[in-house]
């Protein structure tokens, strides 16, 4: 088979790495890829949101299966376009991708089907939103309805912040038309977890639960980022919680979509808060998460291509997931300044001297190769991954990888996986 992977982040590097291990695969192509992916497979300079360009690429290169990384092409309808041309593509249709593309849609769906989530109200007129805030004070969360590159959810500690958040989204239009509507919701407290399931619209297969580290700095402080590291399996999700999540959130969500006439196929990502009242949904995403994928994928023993095909063929119930009995940790090396302004084009040193194995990987995010040298090309630059039977060792090995590389103003969190250590060994 020839497979096209769309995207150019650490998530796509991990997917390409895993897909290449499938005996079914003859060739993998990535668009647009990055400096690390380029060393493994052919990369084509077509942007991830250029649907026509990707369609032409898939047709001209006789691609058998296209796998989409980021949300933007999915919510813009790439799956519908490819399917109309008879091409196989992994991911939800445009209507089904609205589970991520419109927070108002997702929240209303959850309310209608009794899926636990924060109490909320949605608005399309800022006047109504300001009125609502008079009776619903901080802490409170204001969210742009549409996609906002991970910046559209504002957790407000004061009433003024909440007022300003509505202004920013609806009047200053900081996220453009994504702010035509907003959700204002109750602020939940607890630990977060990311649940990935592969679903064919009827049945699902859960991948190991993981935990992202969204805030920039240690101790979960500072501004939110795309994610500064992740580990899996996250011990907070024990068997009992897995059962609760599957029966009160995942299955009802899949059934709800089917019942609404928009069956969901692909990877469904539930971002959850483990509250005192049980797990509640913060958001659904219509794709693999980044950086959780870089932690989760190395634990999967199955042929990933077989599983992707089963979600498209409606046969996922015939499969069971085989997971290495190990822990996987990934730590992100970011450019200084990220998630605000940062510089690109800094040379990256030390990578060639690192010995890479099945249990030790460097997944690239924002990197580029120029004249044989590797440079930074984004906010999140590299993702160091280590797999070990002991979470403590996996963490130590991921950090020893990061200490072996260097670029100007490199920044990383030093506490990735600490919540897992606290739970397993009471190490704080
Ligand atoms: P989202 O854009 O929905 O992924 O939210 C980004 C981050 O904001 C989440 O990972 C949480 O840390 C935080 N967040 C979103 N919604 C809530 C909520 N209702 N209560 C508390 N924190 C939230
Ligand atoms: N790690 C968060 C996301 O992929 O949205």
């Amino acid at each position: 088979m020839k497979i096209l992977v769309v995207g150019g982040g650490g998530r796509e590097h991990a997917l390409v790495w895993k897909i290449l291990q499938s005996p079914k695969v003859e060739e993998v192509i990535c668009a647009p890829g990055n400096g690390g992916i380029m060393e493994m497979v052919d990369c084509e300079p077509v942007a991830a949101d250029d649907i026509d360009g990707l369609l032409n690429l898939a047709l001209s290169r006789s691609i058998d299966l296209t796998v989409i990384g980021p949300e933007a092409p999915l919510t813009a309808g790439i799956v519908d376009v490819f399917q109309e041309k008879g091409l196989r593509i992994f991911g939800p249709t445009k209507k089904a991708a609205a589970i991520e593309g419109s927070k108002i849609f997702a929240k209303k769906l959850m309310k209608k089907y009794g899926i636990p989530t924060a109490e909320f109200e949605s608005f399309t007129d800022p006047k109504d939103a300001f009125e609502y805030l008079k009776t619903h004070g901080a802490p409170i969360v204001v969210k742009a309805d549409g996609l906002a590159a991970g910046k559209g959810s504002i957790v407000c500690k004061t009433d003024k912040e909440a007022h300003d958040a509505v202004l920013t989204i609806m009047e200053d239009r900081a996220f453009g038309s994504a702010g035509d509507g907003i959700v204002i919701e109750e602020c939940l407290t607890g630990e977060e977890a990311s649940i990935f399931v592969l679903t064919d619209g009827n049945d699902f297969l859960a991948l190991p639960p993981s935990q992202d580290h969204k805030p920039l700095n240690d101790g979960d402080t500072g501004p939110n980022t795309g994610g500064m590291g992740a580990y899996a399996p996250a011990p907070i999700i024990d068997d009992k919680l897995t059962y609760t999540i599957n029966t009160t959130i995942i299955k009802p969500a899949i059934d709800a979509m089917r019942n609404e006439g928009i069956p969901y196929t692909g990877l469904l990502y539930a971002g959850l808060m483990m509250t005192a009242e049980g797990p509640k949904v913060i958001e659904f995403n219509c794709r693999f998460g980044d950086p959780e994928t870089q932690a989760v994928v190395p634990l999967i023993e199955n042929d990933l291509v077989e599983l992707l095909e089963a979600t498209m063929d409606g046969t996922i119930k015939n499969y069971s997931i085989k997971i290495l009995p190990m822990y996987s940790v990934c730590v992100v090396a970011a450019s200084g300044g990220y998630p605000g302004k940062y510089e690109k084009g800094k040379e990256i040193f030390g990578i060639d001297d690192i010995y890479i194995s099945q249990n030790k990987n460097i997944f690239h995010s924002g990197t580029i190769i120029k004249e044989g040298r590797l440079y930074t090309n984004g906010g999140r630059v590299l993702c160091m991954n280590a797999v070990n039977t002991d979470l403590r060792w996996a963490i130590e090995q991921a950090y020893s990888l990061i200490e072996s590389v260097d670029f100007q103003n490199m920044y990383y969190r030093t506490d990735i996986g600490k919540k897992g250590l606290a739970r397993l060994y009471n190490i704080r």
Side-chain angles (χ1 to χ4, degrees):
M1 278 173 91
K2 276 192 182 182
I3 299 193
L4 168 63
V5 175
V6 173
R11 164 183 53 206
E12 289 77 17
H13 195 172
L15 290 173
V16 166
W17 173 83
K18 181 67 182 166
I19 287 170
L20 279 173
Q21 293 172 29
S22 167
K24 296 183 141 201
V25 171
E26 294 153 41
E27 189 182 3
V28 177
I29 296 170
C30 187
N34 60 35
I37 300 175
M38 203 179 271
E39 296 209 313
M40 303 183 99
V41 302
D42 186 13
C43 288
E44 292 289 337
V46 183
D49 56 1
D50 177 2
I51 294 182
D52 290 341
L54 293 168
L55 180 64
N56 288 336
L57 180 63
L59 290 170
S60 66
R61 298 288 290 263
S62 309
I63 296 294
D64 299 298
L65 167 62
T66 300
V67 180
I68 307 295
E71 59 278 16
L74 292 167
T75 57
I78 192 169
V79 169
D80 310 61
V81 171
F82 272 51
Q83 284 176 348
E84 270 164 34
K85 296 280 180 200
L87 295 176
R88 294 188 94 200
I89 181 163
F90 174 82
T93 58
K94 179 176 177 156
K95 278 191 177 161
I99 203 160
E100 173 167 3
S102 166
K103 292 221 183 326
I104 297 177
F105 169 82
K107 293 293 290 190
K108 286 187 172 166
L109 185 86
M110 286 188 263
K111 189 172 184 180
K112 180 169 173 188
Y113 290 91
I115 297 169
T117 188
E119 291 295 326
F120 76 103
E121 206 57 66
S122 61
F123 303 93
T124 50
D125 185 336
K127 277 196 224 98
D128 298 336
F130 291 129
E131 206 49 45
Y132 180 81
L133 287 176
K134 286 184 186 158
T135 51
H136 294 76
I140 199 155
V141 186
V142 179
K143 299 183 171 186
D145 176 45
L147 294 184
K151 293 183 182 151
S153 294
I154 306 176
V155 181
C156 309
K157 292 190 201 78
T158 63
D159 291 354
K160 178 166 186 318
E161 278 176 26
H163 187 273
D164 289 351
V166 175
L167 272 182
T168 306
I169 299 174
M170 299 196 92
E171 298 204 332
D172 300 345
R173 307 193 58 77
F175 311 115
S177 62
D180 286 348
I182 57 168
V183 166
I184 301 184
E185 69 180 30
E186 169 201 9
C187 191
L188 301 174
T189 51
E191 243 180 78
E192 290 180 47
S194 304
I195 307 295
F196 294 176
V197 303
L198 291 166
T199 175
D200 56 17
N202 287 300
D203 301 290
F204 68 92
L205 206 58
L207 306 184
S210 57
Q211 221 166 24
D212 189 4
H213 296 67
K214 282 211 160 199
L216 180 67
N217 303 323
D218 285 7
D220 287 334
T221 56
N224 264 347
T225 68
M228 295 298 290
Y231 69 103
I236 185 173
I237 310 294
D238 57 16
D239 290 348
K240 195 165 161 243
L241 258 179
T242 299
Y243 179 80
T244 306
I245 291 165
N246 288 347
T247 52
T248 67
I249 294 172
I250 303 297
K251 188 171 188 310
I254 294 167
D255 291 347
M257 293 294 278
R258 203 176 53 249
N259 200 49
E260 292 292 307
I262 35 176
Y264 186 100
T265 62
L267 186 126
L268 182 65
Y269 161 164
L272 305 181
M273 187 77 90
M274 302 303 140
T275 74
E277 294 159 13
K280 293 190 181 181
V281 178
I282 296 177
E283 61 169 353
F284 282 115
N285 292 320
C286 64
R287 44 146 184 109
F288 285 93
D290 186 333
E292 295 98 315
T293 300
Q294 296 92 300
V296 167
V297 158
L299 293 173
I300 302 174
E301 285 191 275
N302 307 65
D303 177 346
L304 184 62
V305 175
E306 261 183 23
L307 299 183
L308 301 181
E309 287 191 291
T311 69
M312 291 177 293
D313 295 343
T315 55
I316 201 79
K317 68 171 182 298
N318 301 338
Y319 289 81
S320 53
I321 191 89
K322 295 188 203 98
I323 295 298
L324 289 170
M326 297 171 103
Y327 289 96
S328 176
V329 175
C330 66
V331 181
V332 169
S335 303
Y338 170 80
K341 277 207 182 108
Y342 57 85
E343 288 180 31
K344 295 181 185 177
K346 306 289 177 197
E347 187 164 2
I348 302 170
F349 300 100
I351 268 200
D352 291 341
D353 304 329
I354 296 174
Y355 174 71
I356 294 300
S357 65
Q358 187 70 11
N359 289 340
K360 249 192 200 178
N361 266 293
I362 300 180
F363 296 120
H364 292 224
S365 304
T367 69
I368 191 167
I369 297 177
K370 281 185 195 159
E371 290 163 6
R373 289 170 181 263
L374 188 68
Y375 296 90
T376 68
N377 193 38
R380 290 188 293 174
V381 176
L382 297 167
C383 188
M384 310 311 206
N385 167 250
V387 178
N388 198 287
T389 47
D390 189 317
L391 178 61
R392 290 168 292 194
W393 275 103
I395 292 173
E396 198 159 312
Q397 285 165 351
Y399 277 105
S400 100
L401 283 174
I402 218 164
E403 281 153 17
S404 313
V405 299
D406 192 29
F407 56 85
Q408 200 186 329
N409 294 330
M410 178 169 102
Y411 176 80
Y412 56 89
R413 270 180 70 155
T414 67
D415 64 348
I416 303 302
K418 242 187 161 174
K419 289 194 203 96
L421 291 183
R423 211 159 275 278
L424 290 174
Y425 307 108
N426 213 14
I427 302 173
R428 277 170 207 282

